[in-house]
Amino acid sequence: MPDSSPITAPRIIAVANQKGGVGKTTTTINLGAALADSGARVLIVDLDPQGNASTGLGIEASARDITTYDFLLDEATLDEAVQPTNHDRLSIIPATVDLSSADIELFSNEKRSFLLHDALRQPGMEALAPDYVLIDCPPSLNLLTVNAMVAAHSVLIPLQAEFFALEGLSQLMLTIREVRQSANPDLRIEGVLLTMVDGRNNLSAQVEADARDTLGDLVFATRIPRNVRVSEAPSYAMPVLTYDSTSKGAQAYRDLAGEIVRRHARVAA
């Protein structure tokens, strides 16, 4: 069933899938931009050592003096770590490759799974006042991803419309269940998002049918099409909604944002 827990502001959503290349970072960037365009204040937390969300939003590597690594280790406040982007109402805590050593360096910390949870609940969050926090997770089920799930209210799972797509979900679902049992009992699945859907491809249609048959209402009605504009936008350091606001990809992410906002409004009511 979709999330039915009480909604608190900000709504923290981890965008996660241990498989790479499924549109996770693209979804984080463009969902964030679409929510911002709808009037919401959005903070993206780049928790991937590759830093692609940071690059895709125009944060140069030379400008990442304070990153999520410093934020996690309580060596920087929220106000110090957050950077504005060129997209109105959308900000980001950027990442660098320093995060790649976090699993090892944080292992001896007794609160290692709660570092992001605590960091996102410091007093500075009230002043920043985001409506949504989107966490771009690394393509693995490591300590960083666990931190994101412990911190989040829900998990959004991008699922590429390709052969064997559903088989990779079992380990992710198991991790979500383990986090619920051990650290965050209120964690829910925000939804499963079909990405890179090719309407001309019978395989895409079959994957979608299988996903909806298996997962039911957990699958968003919105589908993200395979769209050249979505692929091109990161190289120009901007969301597709800025790069080409009339493209099918931009419209799809606006539809996704609307679906999420309506779902939360129904629950809050």
Side-chain angles (χ1 to χ4, degrees):
M1 293 293 290
D3 186 3
S4 60
S5 61
I7 304 303
T8 58
R11 177 76 183 187
I12 304 175
I13 302 174
V15 183
N17 190 324
Q18 76 273 22
K19 185 175 181 181
V22 299
K24 178 179 54 58
T25 298
T26 298
T27 292
T28 304
I29 290 172
N30 289 299
L31 173 58
L35 287 168
D37 283 352
S38 73
R41 293 179 300 276
V42 182
L43 170 64
I44 289 177
V45 178
D46 192 347
L47 208 61
D48 186 343
Q50 297 176 85
N52 290 335
S54 306
T55 302
L57 285 172
I59 309 299
E60 298 287 345
S62 60
R64 302 178 205 177
D65 295 327
I66 299 176
T67 68
T68 44
Y69 184 76
D70 306 297
F71 187 59
L72 276 174
L73 293 179
D74 198 26
E75 294 178 356
T77 65
L78 186 68
D79 184 60
E80 292 170 331
V82 172
Q83 293 197 34
T85 71
N86 292 326
H87 205 91
D88 289 345
R89 293 181 294 278
L90 180 63
S91 56
I92 187 170
I93 302 178
T96 65
V97 71
D98 288 349
L99 269 178
S100 60
S101 62
D103 267 17
I104 298 172
E105 294 187 30
L106 301 179
F107 188 77
S108 61
N109 191 315
E110 291 183 359
K111 299 186 68 177
R112 57 186 176 270
S113 297
F114 288 84
L115 296 174
L116 185 59
H117 173 280
D118 294 347
L120 287 175
R121 286 161 176 82
Q122 59 181 258
M125 186 62 78
E126 295 181 10
L128 185 64
D131 299 294
Y132 290 90
V133 175
L134 304 180
I135 307 171
D136 186 31
C137 297
S140 60
L141 297 177
N142 59 12
L143 183 56
L144 291 173
T145 300
V146 170
N147 260 268
M149 291 184 182
V150 172
H153 297 107
S154 59
V155 181
L156 190 157
I157 305 169
L159 184 71
Q160 186 177 356
E162 64 170 11
F163 199 56
F164 294 137
L166 292 175
E167 292 193 2
L169 284 183
S170 57
Q171 187 59 45
L172 179 59
M173 295 295 192
L174 178 60
T175 300
I176 292 172
R177 180 166 48 182
E178 290 174 347
V179 170
R180 282 176 181 162
Q181 293 173 346
S182 64
N184 185 1
D186 294 326
L187 181 65
R188 297 292 181 266
I189 296 174
E190 184 71 32
V192 174
L193 176 67
L194 291 165
T195 62
M196 305 181 200
V197 176
D198 187 345
R200 303 163 300 177
N201 189 326
N202 289 334
L203 177 59
S204 285
Q206 185 59 55
V207 170
E208 178 176 358
D210 290 346
R212 296 192 187 282
D213 184 55
T214 304
L215 301 169
D217 291 343
L218 282 179
V219 182
F220 287 107
T222 301
R223 306 175 305 162
I224 308 301
R226 188 176 291 279
N227 180 254
V228 67
R229 294 304 198 191
V230 172
S231 301
E232 289 174 348
S235 65
Y236 291 88
M238 61 180 68
V240 70
L241 286 88
T242 304
Y243 178 61
D244 186 348
S245 64
T246 63
S247 66
K248 290 182 179 179
Q251 184 56 53
Y253 279 110
R254 281 193 290 266
D255 291 344
L256 175 64
E259 192 172 348
I260 288 174
V261 169
R262 288 192 298 273
R263 179 178 296 184
H264 291 174
R266 286 197 302 269
V267 172

